[in-house]
Amino acid sequence: MKSIQMVDLVSQYDRFKEEIKTEIDKVLDSASFINGPSVKEFQKGLENYLNVKHVIPCANGTDALQVIMMAYDFPKGSEVIVPSFTYVATVEVIALLGLIPVFVEVYPDTFNIDLDDVRSKITDKTVAIAPVHLYGQCAHMEPIMKIANEFGLKVFEDTAQAIGAEYTFSNGKKAKAGTIGHAGATSFFPSKNLGAYGDGGAIMTNDDDLAKKLRMIVNHGQSERYYHDSIGVNSRLDSIQAAILKVKLKYLDHYNQARQLVAKRYNEAFASTDEIIAPMTANYTNHVYHQYTVKLKDESKRDALNKYLATFEIPSMIYYPVPNHLQKAYSYYGYTNGDMPNTEDLCSRVISFPIHTEMEAAQQNLIIEKVLEFCSK
Ligand SMILES: *Cc1c(COP(=O)(O)O)cnc(C)c1O
């Protein structure tokens, strides 16, 4: 049996090695490392796949979020509503631009943004909501858009963990994560569901004017060469990463299905114990399981479970141990322990087990066996 990893990128590469190498070689042979044809090809491919008018490739997912917020040029001190239970990047770009992150709770079962809390935190300074499709299932976008329309707010989806996930509207219509709000941001960090072999990211939008602005901002605010209409950044997806992503995009649905199968087996196995609360998928979304994250009934056992598994060389991770409203970097905003009980509780209760596209039955059997063994002790 191969050693177990949270994500097995080596085995995944082995399966598509020749195809990927051929595409990388094309870029090397042409030496068009920046803005080569592969970038445009991947952009078109992703627009097609997501059924969205515009994809703007950029250097990483954090930049994607930042560039979206730059495009709106909100007055300093404007408030952006964001879940505290997310990766720091969603919060960081808000603060960096002189806007105020206003933290809200997530639902304890889906880990996604709590709509009542969103409503209760809207003030006359609120300009946007930034829902995060955490771990791979969509936040409840239809009511989020309804609240946004009611208060004239923009919606920026952080879909770094949910590329390929699909949201179902109440009328049965479906849309891919990241294409429902005013703009969406995703990441091609290697371990993400659609991962490059380095950094990469993209912005999605159906708004033509916004797309134009975004394309300018990622390129130094340039409208024509050496004519700079706005302050921009340098944020590019390089040609080699785009060439790799172009190949991997073809397999994204297959990758997500492989993750769903692993999750299904975990769910079935963990149904036999009360100690583990398996992840729940809401009826308005599917789940592409960027992470397989459970809650422990007894939070005091979490570190012991993590250590127990490690003795069998089974990795497990805590995403995330500290809520953003309690991070040192954001103490300036004055939140304290107890402000967000659901989020704080999740941070002490969640644990994520290995999930990836190359999981072998024997590997998963061992993980399940050792988790259940621990639970029965
Ligand atoms: C990975 C991730 C990001 C940032 O992506 P990078 O490409 O690493 O900058 C943003 N938000 C969430 C929720 C993420 O998981």
Side-chain angles (χ1 to χ4, degrees), residues 276 294 296 301-310 316 351 353 370-371 374-375:
I276 290 193
V294 305
L296 289 195
K301 287 186 183 163
R302 185 177 65 179
D303 292 346
L305 172 59
N306 172 270
K307 287 206 182 79
Y308 184 75
L309 294 175
S316 58
I351 185 165
F353 300 132
K370 294 303 169 191
V371 171
F374 177 87
C375 290

Side-chain angles (χ1 to χ4, degrees), residues 60-62 65 86-87 89-90 132 158 160-161 187-189 192 199-200 320:
N60 56 68
T62 311
L65 288 161
T86 178
Y87 181 57
T90 335
V132 180
D158 181 342
Q161 300 189 1
S187 163
F188 307 122
F189 185 80
K192 299 283 156 90
D199 275 309
Y320 299 91

